[in-house]
Amino acid sequence: MAGKKPCDLIVKNAGQLLTLKAATDGPRRGPLMSDLGLISGGSVAVRDGEIVAADRADVVERAVEVATGTLVIDARGKVVMPGFVDPHTHVVYCGSRVDEFEARLLGKTYKEIAQEGGGINATVNRVRRAERDELVDESLPRLERMLEWGTTTLEAKSGYGLTTDDEIKMLLAIRDLDGMQPIQLVPTFMGAHQIPPEYARERGKYIDLVVDEMIPEVVERELAGFCDVFCEPGFFSTDEAERILRAGIEAGLAPKLHADEFSSSGGAQLAAKIGAVSADHLAAPSGDGLIALSKTDCVAVLLPGTSFLLGEHKYAPAKGMIELGIPVALGTDCNPGSSPIEAMTLSIGLGCVLLGLTPAQAVCAATINAAHAVGLGGSVGSLEVGKQADMLILDVADYRLLAYHFATNHVQTVIKRGGIAHHKHS
Ligand code: NIG
Ligand code: FE
């Protein structure tokens, strides 16, 4: 019909359509974090992987043309929302660290285990021995499970190689995985995850290697868009982190930071000063650090699963951050040491129970704010005309069940770039 837009997919009559649309192009702050752009009885129409309409069902019906080839999905009584964006993972690795989990239960801390040669180093040993294919084969099933739990975009860090060749191997494995399954992967270079043991007595030389050799090669081969550093006493100081991140910025890598995870050590201030896209963890930030962050566009990526599993009872002050106007995102931190968590819904549930977020704030944190934390706020994270059609159909009528009934998978259908990427057979 004249004037109507053609579409190849329409998801219609959702009991709750969460568009996450807001009057800003930036990450959501303060009260906007509670506004999910909820439409009761809403539809989304898609053409060539892009959203052409997302509105009340009658409005969409008038705007689009449903032809014989159009796939029509009835979402009556269900929730339709953007796919989850997981903005912080170390999902590419080999082996398990279940022995460390048990050691922590018997009283050791994460830092003590690291100081004794375990921790990140244990995974580095495994990853260095692995071929690129083994890394891919071990990580692929994790990504498949993440998709089933609704993740459609995720950030993936290197950082278990810690030699130029092994860091490149990890980033190449991330690139392979990006093309092998529906989740879109955003690669981050994290050669500064830890000083490897062979450089323990000459840490400056390892930092030189990161700055002079690794960063240029990563950029030259276009293997990552972000550079991240584990800024924490015992790992990298703020001065070291600043040197590495500035070298990354000069070469074209946007800065991210593991900041103030265990102790208040100036990580949040550094993130603000350097213009980081995100400051992550923040379980122990200082008041000054938070005020500095609140004056910037940096997204606070909170990882409550890590705090929970480490058992140190230190949680990011999410409510205070939101009051200060800091945009908050949630991630899994999926990694073999501190957080073998794959489901974003667990981060949502723990974000509510442990950090005090409301279900609406947690959903905002796991979608549009997480998209901004990985530089994709313009293309994913909300259901708006022109954006990529990444969406979930949940087999529940109220989105708050994501947080309340969080250990159950409510994701019925995952749509990535307009295609059905997963469908749960019940
Ligand atoms: O985000 N904090 C540093 N890195 C990871 C842990 C990685 C590991 O233990 O293997 C984290 O928690
Ligand atoms: Fe991490």
Side-chain angles (χ1 to χ4, degrees):
M1 229 194 285
K4 285 199 168 196
K5 292 183 203 156
C7 67
D8 38 47
L9 167 70
I10 179 162
V11 179
K12 63 175 197 180
N13 295 324
Q16 292 183 338
L17 170 63
L18 314 183
T19 64
L20 277 294
K21 191 173 166 176
T24 172
D25 289 339
R28 315 298 191 239
R29 304 166 189 270
L32 276 188
M33 279 198 68
S34 303
D35 181 0
L36 300 183
L38 190 156
I39 297 172
S40 304
S43 300
V44 182
V46 177
R47 168 128 172 126
D48 293 335
E50 240 183 42
I51 297 170
V52 293
D55 214 319
R56 273 196 349 247
D58 58 318
V59 176
V60 173
E61 204 169 299
R62 281 198 298 275
V64 304
E65 182 190 339
V66 178
T68 39
T70 306
L71 175 61
V72 180
I73 301 179
D74 194 333
R76 209 171 296 263
K78 294 177 180 163
V79 173
V80 172
M81 63 174 294
F84 296 125
V85 178
D86 189 341
H88 182 135
T89 86
H90 308 254
V91 68
V92 174
Y93 63 85
C94 282
S96 130
R97 305 223 305 264
V98 64
D99 49 341
E100 294 182 11
F101 172 69
E102 190 167 54
R104 286 202 304 276
L105 295 174
L106 293 170
K108 285 223 166 114
T109 66
Y110 178 80
K111 277 197 168 179
E112 282 164 358
I113 292 168
Q115 276 149 11
E116 288 165 11
I120 292 169
N121 198 45
T123 305
V124 169
N125 288 335
R126 293 292 305 265
V127 167
R128 284 182 178 174
R129 285 201 306 269
E131 298 292 331
R132 171 171 155 193
D133 283 357
E134 291 172 64
L135 270 174
V136 168
D137 291 348
E138 277 213 32
S139 307
L140 186 58
R142 279 192 278 279
L143 293 174
E144 287 166 351
R145 290 190 294 270
M146 288 164 127
L147 181 77
E148 288 173 16
W149 284 82
T151 298
T152 49
T153 302
L154 70 76
E155 186 255 17
K157 302 176 197 293
S158 69
Y160 290 127
L162 311 188
T163 67
T164 304
D165 286 351
D166 291 309
E167 286 295 302
I168 297 290
K169 178 176 75 184
M170 283 196 75
L171 290 168
L172 288 168
I174 292 170
R175 178 181 282 181
D176 293 344
L177 287 159
D178 183 42
M180 288 171 80
Q181 49 74 53
I183 300 178
Q184 179 179 347
L185 268 54
V186 179
T188 293
F189 165 66
M190 199 175 177
H193 200 185
Q194 181 181 281
I195 300 277
E198 64 274 20
Y199 283 92
R201 283 202 196 79
E202 38 187 8
R203 50 188 301 124
K205 281 207 177 149
Y206 182 69
I207 295 168
D208 291 345
L209 183 74
V210 171
V211 166
D212 298 332
E213 193 176 290
M214 293 188 194
I215 289 177
E217 186 156 349
V218 167
V219 172
E220 157 88 25
R221 297 176 70 168
E222 296 181 17
L223 289 172
F226 293 100
C227 180
D228 192 349
V229 177
F230 190 6
C231 179
E232 184 77 33
F235 293 85
F236 292 88
S237 70
T238 47
D239 285 349
E240 291 166 342
E242 180 165 358
R243 181 177 166 217
I244 294 163
L245 293 176
R246 289 217 185 272
I249 293 169
E250 252 171 56
L253 300 178
K256 281 180 162 280
L257 200 58
H258 280 61
D260 301 329
E261 176 176 357
F262 297 102
S263 45
S264 243
S265 59
Q269 284 95 328
L270 175 60
K273 175 174 157 196
I274 205 159
V277 178
S278 71
D280 301 38
H281 286 287
L282 297 172
S286 66
D288 287 351
L290 293 183
I291 287 169
L293 275 186
S294 72
K295 296 185 179 140
T296 70
D297 287 332
C298 182
V299 180
V301 173
L302 309 186
L303 308 162
T306 309
S307 309
F308 175 62
L309 290 174
L310 288 179
E312 296 189 6
H313 308 287
K314 248 190 215 168
Y315 297 107
K319 278 170 179 273
M321 290 175 180
I322 293 173
E323 274 161 27
L324 280 173
I326 298 171
V328 167
L330 285 169
T332 61
D333 197 16
C334 179
N335 77 73
S338 60
S339 177
I341 290 176
E342 293 158 357
M344 278 295 281
T345 48
L346 188 62
S347 304
I348 289 175
L350 295 179
C352 291
V353 175
L354 299 175
L355 308 189
L357 298 176
T358 64
Q361 289 169 334
V363 166
C364 173
T367 55
I368 186 66
N369 277 5
H372 282 285
V374 297
L376 293 178
S379 59
V380 301
S382 62
L383 301 179
E384 297 181 74
V385 173
K387 278 199 161 181
Q388 209 165 281
D390 292 2
M391 51 185 164
L392 311 178
I393 304 174
L394 310 182
D395 57 9
V396 287
D398 182 336
Y399 77 86
R400 293 176 302 175
L401 269 83
L402 279 175
Y404 163 71
H405 193 192
F406 68 83
T408 292
N409 189 356
H410 302 294
V411 176
Q412 179 199 289
T413 307
V414 182
I415 294 166
K416 179 68 186 177
R417 293 191 176 97
I420 309 286
H422 170 73
H423 184 72
K424 176 166 73 184
H425 294 283
S426 43

